Amino acid sequence: MDPAFDCQRCGACCASFRVSFYWTEAQGEHDPRSLGVPAALTEPVSPHLLCMQGTHARQPHCAALQGRVGESVGCTIYAQRPSPCREVMPGDAQCLKARARHGLPT
């Protein structure tokens, strides 16, 4: 991977977009030990959609993101992250758009 697109230094995508996903990706109240997104880090968008807490804001910033965008970041639920987070790839169109929003090189 190009060092300019090191996700652990960037984090721009986590602080640029609403992260919406189907409710079944979250941990169920019936089984909080499931491997889904922790329900406490989600908020409802519609009857069938949730989003990561903090991403449905005017200035999105995922509640699971730790650190400083553009310097050193990490996802506190990386193994449990929802599908939209798994789909963004370093250097793809969404990545470049997020980096530009934060004034990072594209």
Side-chain angles (χ1 to χ4, degrees):
M1 170 180 17
D2 182 338
F5 298 117
D6 179 356
C7 297
Q8 291 183 318
R9 285 193 351 222
C10 182
C13 60
C14 306
S16 294
F17 307 114
R18 183 176 80 188
V19 180
S20 300
F21 50 93
Y22 196 57
W23 66 271
T24 57
E25 289 190 57
Q27 290 177 345
E29 290 178 21
H30 61 280
D31 186 5
R33 295 170 293 141
S34 70
L35 297 179
V37 177
L41 291 177
T42 69
E43 57 186 84
V45 175
S46 74
H48 301 288
L49 290 177
L50 299 173
C51 71
M52 290 301 296
Q53 225 176 46
T55 67
H56 193 48
R58 190 164 194 241
Q59 294 182 323
H61 191 279
C62 183
L65 181 66
Q66 284 188 333
R68 226 176 130 102
V69 173
E71 293 179 18
S72 178
V73 295
C75 176
T76 61
I77 61 161
Y78 187 80
Q80 296 166 278
R81 70 196 186 282
S83 56
C85 301
R86 295 173 188 275
E87 292 166 3
V88 175
M89 292 288 127
D92 72 7
Q94 288 295 86
C95 167
L96 297 178
K97 187 175 176 181
R99 290 176 64 84
R101 283 184 177 176
H102 288 274
L104 299 172
T106 56

